[in-house]
Amino acid sequence: MSHDVVSLASNLGFVDEMYARYCEDPASVDASWRALFSSGGLPAAARGGPTPEPRRAWSAAAGAAVEPAAGAPAAGPVPVVASEALSLWPLVNAYRVRGHLAADLDPLGLLERPPHPELEPATYGFREADMDRPMPAGGLYGVRVATPREVLARLRRAYCGSIGLEFMHISTPAKKAWLAERMETRPDPRTLPADRRIAMLERLVSTSAFERFVHRKYPGTKRFSLEGGESAIPLLDNVLDGAARLGAVEAVIGMAHRGRLCVLHDILQKPARDLFAEFDDVEPEVAFGGGDVKYHLGYSCDRVDREGRRMHLSLAFNPSHLEAVDPVVVGRVRAKQRRRHDADHARVAGILIHGDAAFAGQGLVPETLNLSNLHGYRTGGTVHIIINNQIGFTASPTESRSTPYCTDVAKMIQCPIWHVNGEDLDAVAQVVDMAMEYRAQFASDVVIDMFCYRKYGHNEMDEPSFTQPLMYKRIRGKKPVTELYAQQLIDEGVLSRADVDAMRARVEAALEREFEAARKAAHRPIIDAMGGVWEGYLGGADAAVPDVDTGVPRDVLERVAERATTVPDGFALNRKLQRLFEQRREMARGERAVDWAMAELLAFGSLLIDGVNVRLSGQDSSRGTFSQRHAVVTDQETGAEFTPLAHMTDSQGDFCVYDSPLSEAGVLGFEFGYSLDYPDALVMWEAQFGDFVNGAQVHLDVFISSCEDKWDRLSGLVMLLPHGFEGQGPEHSSARLERFLSACAEDNWQIVQPTTPVQYFHVLRRQVLRPLRKPLVLLTPKSLLRLPAATSSIDEFTAGRFQRVLADAAAPPAGEVDRVMVCTGKVFYDLDAERARREDRRTAIVRLEQLYPWRREEVEAAIGVFAGARELVWVQEEPRNMGAWAFVEPRLRALFPGCALRPVSRPESASPATGSHKAHAIEQERLILEAFEG
């Protein structure tokens, strides 16, 4: 067997596969493999038995002479016996798979690294007498022939020093070969350019000086110190340098609170005086009821690296929900790439900084990782940096996870995982170089797990010795990494002690100047979040922003319908869809009433023709959960897909509709992030059923409902939540309207439940055409999608706007009405049908289409015309403790204090709905009866 075959086997790891083929059909493998297995050679799965002797039998077939490595004495070919020709590659392979288990990663020396038998030459039949005999190097990169002792030394240097790499879980041979070659041929880290090493020390000095300064000036104040993990700052600095070198002009960073102040100060260059003013809590009255703590805030800047490359940086705001920011950052990156027409995903980079316990413990990590290679969500690879303090709050790793490493969850996407000792700054820099090149080469996520420690407790007021006395005894005896690296560079002659002292003095003097400036500040620092792409858009009070007409000319509607129902010649459209598309053309011509799906299509298409981008994602959104949308159609013969709305005109906006993974929190977070950088697009997330939105509650609470109040950031995200009580059970009835209403304040978002297709059309268009940018919670229908009564005339689409309140067009004269029913959503059609059945001429029904922001004057105008009514009835399908009753009751009583207000609903319940369809029907009948008869 040739050395090339041995090397190939080592790099690709397919011995098991070859052996299986040999067992099934010996003639199917080439002669060298047949010779190997027929002579008693063992497949890879058979290694590791009790005695090494069988493994010395590997292949009597390879007795070829092998040329020595370059530079070896020219003494002619080196004779190699067969057993030795094959015995080295399993050792090389073992170090690629398991070498990280022997790496020196822990600065505290607490991490146990017991000897691993797969890393011992004896496991593969080597005796001491074999260790100095030249032989083929088993596919080790950079050398063809060497002694086992030399190969072992090279393997240990490559995989068992300050860097450990996990990569053999990757199934792509080219990726594994790339990584193995980089690891096995990388130079000594101490050969890094001097200016780069000095720059890393400068970052360390600045970070450690800032931390000590704040600790001294603001003792006992929470700051979530980075001390013990200061190497994260030069690591991040190197990541940004690498991204810029490889073509990125923008980066979005997401992180939790630990180390955020240092990132703000040392990476984003936020003035220290502003940080100190936040510590001083200047002008507190400005923050009444709003704002956020300093270690949650975001920031942006333009960074220029040492080579003069400019990059715009954005640090995303993030609450204490740790990994909740992950999909938000990835969504922002995708939006910025789309805006830059960055089809290769190379010009905008996403960087996420995690804690070790959170990376292993928070479900949003795998939800976000799962997006990495999906068509609608990929960004060309996110850089994951883990500040591995080896502790989570007070929990040790054995209490925080069931896996050896906190990073094991990342193996699900087959990305490389580097573990590195944070006290070896040169090794950290090498890891970053490899990671950034790999990301650029393969458009893949990469993970850098930097082992360090946490000098203080979870915060600076915490006492960590209560729970980790041994760890913190070791920590108290540690020299800071800044001192260690400074001394290393001094010892190697890179700079002098005087240089280091001068470096420190400059930083400390600058901090003192900034501190004095902060003490003189009378006002809280203000960051303008409304520049750039947000110029011209508005937040604030809903009533202060005028409405806009959202009608569309009839000829445009017909053109949209024609193009949106046309497929290419030869496309085998499903026969049922052929009929549906013909019906849609009839709707546009006024020959058939317009249903909900057609209204949505007209809204999307009319915006696209005007150049507006439209993005929709969710579970089953292409077809629609209720088989109503069919935005993407499939050729019945070839399986090819076609999206008619994406092919209307040459100058139209982009139409993107994606079927999302089975995720709520991850995908909603992504779309929210996307909306933060695309205010001029219609960005929508659709729940399969509105009931499932509670799987994303954290994003609703800490981002979407409060981003304007906390961070002065706006979002126009639309959430489509199918809602309606139709006998489908507790998890297919309610989008939990009450939860959204309970969070309404300061016009923070819009809560809308339209009852007609034209209302749906107008509210979607209003969301883009009006300059106000607020999230829109849109409760969409299920049964109304095909209810004949819930349709609109095509003429209604050509003029007008969304109506927050729908007056009763079928009501009797105002003076004859003695009961006014007020409702929202589907129940209107039940009430209207019952009124017609009873021939009731004394009841009016008013629909609240927009519950929030509450327009008092519009509600008063619609109900107040029936001033002589003796009774005001609120009707809802939800149980009394759910739905809108608790929200509307005080508002209706304030508007009509002298009128009797009676609620009609299902009884209070812990569950939204019954699981029995028959019981549902009985409940609904009783509810309607109670509305009319009391």
Side-chain angles (χ1 to χ4, degrees):
M1 175 179 276
S2 69
H3 175 269
D4 290 340
V5 175
V6 176
S7 176
L8 188 63
S10 174
N11 288 335
L12 307 189
F14 59 48
V15 178
D16 289 330
E17 178 186 347
M18 298 299 293
Y19 184 69
R21 287 171 54 188
Y22 170 80
C23 292
E24 184 176 342
D25 179 13
S28 67
V29 300
D30 68 27
S32 59
W33 285 106
R34 288 200 301 274
L36 165 64
F37 294 128
S38 64
S39 66
L42 302 177
R47 295 198 303 272
T51 170
E53 288 309 312
R55 282 176 288 289
R56 293 180 63 79
W58 268 81
S59 184
V66 181
E67 293 297 327
V78 179
V80 185
V81 299
S83 62
E84 292 161 341
L86 288 172
S87 58
L88 269 178
W89 87 256
L91 182 65
V92 173
N93 190 65
Y95 269 82
R96 291 171 178 169
V97 176
R98 306 287 185 211
H100 59 89
L101 296 176
D104 178 20
L105 302 176
D106 181 12
L108 298 177
L110 296 173
L111 188 65
E112 294 184 8
R113 292 296 194 192
H116 199 289
E118 290 184 42
L119 303 180
E120 298 300 325
T123 300
Y124 308 99
F126 284 97
R127 298 169 298 200
E128 181 60 29
D130 302 317
M131 294 301 290
D132 295 308
R133 185 177 303 166
M135 58 183 65
L140 182 68
Y141 284 99
V143 59
R144 293 193 64 191
V145 174
T147 69
R149 198 180 309 279
E150 292 168 339
V151 167
L152 188 62
R154 289 177 66 99
L155 288 171
R156 286 175 174 164
R157 190 191 75 80
Y159 295 107
C160 303
S162 296
I163 302 173
L165 173 63
E166 293 185 272
F167 69 107
M168 293 299 279
H169 56 280
I170 299 172
S171 61
T172 306
K175 294 179 179 179
K176 289 191 289 189
W178 191 98
L179 291 161
E181 182 176 16
R182 295 305 189 279
M183 288 291 288
E184 292 163 15
T185 61
R186 59 189 169 90
D188 188 310
R190 281 54 180 169
T191 61
L192 286 173
D195 62 338
R196 186 174 179 187
R197 301 176 82 191
I198 291 171
M200 287 194 292
L201 179 60
E202 288 174 340
R203 290 297 191 198
L204 285 177
V205 167
S206 179
T207 298
S208 59
F210 176 80
E211 289 283 17
R212 288 197 311 272
F213 189 88
V214 173
H215 191 70
R216 187 171 68 253
K217 298 293 187 180
Y218 303 98
T221 302
K222 282 185 184 180
R223 70 180 191 276
F224 295 98
S225 164
L226 191 59
E227 290 179 82
E230 295 97 330
S231 299
I233 297 301
L235 190 163
L236 178 57
D237 196 47
N238 276 280
V239 165
L240 295 170
D241 282 349
R245 184 176 65 254
L246 293 165
V249 296
E250 195 165 359
V252 184
I253 305 169
M255 66 182 301
H257 37 275
R258 184 162 310 284
R260 176 178 285 259
L261 297 181
C262 291
V263 170
L264 286 166
H265 177 254
D266 290 300
I267 298 297
L268 283 97
Q269 302 298 303
K270 182 175 181 178
R273 67 184 63 187
D274 289 350
L275 291 168
F276 297 150
E278 289 162 1
F279 274 99
D280 290 331
D281 210 0
V282 175
E283 206 177 8
E285 60 276 6
V286 174
F288 284 174
D292 203 348
V293 293
K294 52 191 166 292
Y295 39 78
H296 289 171
L297 300 179
Y299 198 71
S300 63
C301 74
D302 289 319
R303 175 185 187 270
V304 180
D305 68 12
R306 294 189 302 278
E307 304 297 323
R309 291 178 287 253
R310 183 176 296 274
M311 175 185 285
H312 184 73
L313 303 184
S314 300
L315 176 64
F317 40 77
N318 188 40
S320 284
H321 290 68
L322 301 175
E323 305 297 333
V325 77
D326 296 357
V328 176
V329 165
V330 179
R332 291 191 64 186
V333 171
R334 174 76 174 218
K336 289 175 179 290
Q337 290 173 343
R338 167 73 68 172
R339 190 173 287 285
R340 290 182 177 275
H341 307 288
D342 181 15
D344 295 330
H345 307 296
R347 293 174 61 76
V348 185
I351 302 165
L352 291 173
I353 305 173
H354 314 266
D356 50 318
F359 196 81
Q362 296 282 302
L364 270 165
V365 173
E367 285 198 39
T368 305
L369 290 170
N370 189 48
L371 300 176
S372 62
N373 290 312
L374 301 182
H375 175 61
Y377 310 91
R378 61 181 173 227
T379 61
T382 299
V383 181
H384 300 271
I385 300 168
I386 297 172
I387 302 176
N388 193 337
N389 294 311
Q390 307 179 77
I391 188 173
F393 205 162
T394 65
S396 65
T398 57
E399 297 168 309
S400 299
R401 59 180 186 264
S402 298
T403 58
Y405 293 109
C406 66
T407 55
D408 286 327
V409 67
K411 292 180 180 178
M412 63 181 278
I413 60 168
Q414 298 196 32
C415 70
I417 301 166
W418 280 271
H419 308 283
V420 61
N421 190 320
E423 284 194 345
D424 189 340
L425 268 294
D426 300 324
V428 167
Q430 277 199 330
V431 163
V432 170
D433 289 347
M434 288 186 283
M436 298 308 292
E437 289 169 12
Y438 183 91
R439 174 189 174 273
Q441 179 76 20
F442 298 106
S444 166
D445 283 30
V446 292
V447 177
I448 302 173
D449 177 21
M450 189 195 79
F451 279 69
C452 53
Y453 58 90
R454 189 186 69 193
K455 182 176 179 179
Y456 302 105
H458 177 65
N459 59 61
E460 290 68 32
M461 296 179 289
D462 205 18
E463 176 46 72
S465 296
F466 290 155
T467 52
Q468 273 78 28
L470 300 182
M471 172 183 277
Y472 275 85
K473 182 178 180 181
R474 188 72 60 90
I475 289 172
R476 284 191 293 270
K478 286 288 296 179
K479 283 188 175 181
V481 64
T482 306
E483 292 184 21
L484 295 174
Y485 194 55
Q487 190 60 53
Q488 178 185 333
L489 296 189
I490 292 168
D491 293 344
E492 294 176 13
V494 177
L495 40 63
S496 67
R497 171 60 65 183
D499 294 330
V500 175
D501 291 343
M503 196 182 293
R504 284 200 181 100
R506 287 194 299 272
V507 172
E508 290 169 357
L511 290 171
E512 286 288 355
R513 289 193 298 271
E514 291 292 290
F515 181 73
E516 290 304 318
R519 284 292 161 97
K520 297 174 183 177
H523 301 288
R524 181 177 292 266
I526 296 175
I527 299 173
D528 182 10
M530 298 305 295
V533 298
W534 282 96
E535 191 74 36
Y537 294 99
L538 301 171
D542 173 85
V545 182
D547 285 333
V548 293
D549 288 336
T550 48
V552 175
R554 181 71 172 270
D555 64 317
V556 175
L557 295 174
E558 291 180 1
R559 181 155 39 112
V560 169
E562 178 64 29
R563 297 303 303 157
T565 56
T566 300
V567 296
D569 292 341
F571 190 94
L573 189 65
N574 183 283
R575 282 184 295 178
K576 291 182 179 179
L577 292 184
Q578 291 177 16
R579 176 58 184 149
L580 175 66
F581 278 17
E582 176 54 37
Q583 290 173 350
R584 288 180 173 176
R585 288 190 283 269
E586 291 172 359
M587 293 176 192
R589 294 195 297 265
E591 299 167 6
R592 178 186 290 268
V594 178
D595 64 13
W596 286 82
M598 183 59 176
E600 180 184 78
L601 182 151
L602 293 173
F604 291 172
S606 58
L607 289 171
L608 290 165
I609 283 179
D610 288 340
V612 175
N613 290 352
V614 175
R615 176 185 169 93
L616 168 64
S617 81
Q619 297 157 24
D620 312 304
S621 286
S622 297
R623 188 205 70 174
T625 295
F626 310 102
S627 195
Q628 85 283 8
R629 180 171 291 124
H630 299 290
V632 179
V633 293
T634 305
D635 190 299
Q636 300 298 290
E637 301 295 333
T638 68
E641 293 184 340
F642 182 71
T643 306
L645 283 173
H647 299 86
M648 293 191 301
T649 71
D650 293 336
S651 59
Q652 71 171 72
D654 295 330
F655 179 67
C656 303
V657 56
Y658 302 108
D659 291 336
S660 75
L662 201 65
S663 158
E664 282 80 39
V667 178
L668 177 57
F670 183 100
E671 300 303 340
F672 170 71
Y674 197 100
S675 74
L676 294 176
D677 286 279
Y678 236 122
D680 46 338
L682 180 62
V683 182
M684 296 164 287
W685 172 74
E686 182 175 51
Q688 188 179 64
F689 284 84
D691 312 60
F692 305 156
V693 72
N694 57 13
Q697 194 66 44
V698 64
H699 284 105
L700 297 172
D701 291 343
V702 302
F703 283 108
I704 301 173
S705 69
S706 56
C707 60
E708 183 177 355
D709 193 33
K710 292 194 292 189
W711 307 308
D712 291 323
R713 293 302 305 265
L714 304 180
S715 165
L717 176 68
V718 179
M719 290 169 280
L720 305 177
L721 310 179
H723 175 90
F725 282 60
E726 292 150 344
Q728 297 189 60
E731 275 71 62
H732 295 84
S733 300
S734 177
R736 299 287 193 165
L737 173 60
E738 65 279 357
R739 292 183 179 171
F740 293 100
L741 293 174
S742 71
C744 289
E746 302 177 289
D747 290 3
N748 58 328
W749 53 12
Q750 307 162 92
I751 313 296
V752 172
Q753 189 174 12
T755 54
T756 67
V758 73
Q759 282 281 83
Y760 183 47
F761 168 87
H762 283 304
V763 79
L764 287 176
R765 286 179 53 81
R766 181 186 77 168
Q767 187 70 1
V768 179
L769 300 180
R770 193 180 182 213
L772 186 78
R773 285 296 175 269
K774 305 276 183 175
L776 171 59
V777 181
L778 194 56
L779 277 66
T780 54
K782 295 178 288 185
S783 64
L784 298 192
L785 293 171
R786 294 177 175 85
L787 183 70
T791 55
S792 301
S793 163
I794 189 65
D795 293 330
E796 296 179 79
F797 294 79
T798 61
R801 61 187 64 168
F802 174 73
Q803 303 298 312
R804 294 174 178 82
V805 182
L806 284 182
D808 190 350
E816 299 177 14
V817 171
D818 63 4
R819 178 194 297 119
V820 179
M821 293 183 182
V822 186
C823 66
T824 187
K826 178 184 78 70
V827 74
F828 162 76
Y829 291 97
D830 297 328
L831 295 171
D832 192 42
E834 180 66 12
R835 180 175 61 174
R837 187 188 71 79
R838 290 170 175 261
E839 297 182 351
D840 183 329
R841 299 298 298 166
R842 303 187 67 80
T843 298
I845 307 173
V846 174
R847 286 170 273 177
L848 302 186
E849 302 280 285
Q850 177 172 301
L851 286 161
Y852 193 80
W854 178 268
R855 284 290 183 92
R856 175 190 175 101
E857 67 281 5
E858 295 187 21
V859 177
E860 186 174 26
I863 300 174
V865 296
F866 307 108
R870 61 177 173 79
E871 186 180 37
L872 187 61
V873 184
W874 170 260
V875 186
Q876 66 179 39
E877 294 185 297
E878 299 89 348
R880 181 72 54 86
N881 56 315
M882 301 178 189
W885 167 242
F887 178 83
V888 301
E889 180 194 14
R891 291 167 171 81
L892 289 177
R893 290 196 190 280
L895 280 175
F896 308 104
C899 187
L901 175 60
R902 176 168 62 92
V904 174
S905 68
R906 283 175 167 78
E908 288 190 357
S909 174
S911 173
T914 176
S916 164
H917 190 275
K918 290 183 178 180
H920 161 78
I922 295 170
E923 289 178 355
Q924 194 75 4
E925 183 179 354
R926 289 177 177 174
L927 186 144
I928 299 302
L929 185 66
E930 182 185 354
F932 282 89
E933 299 182 1

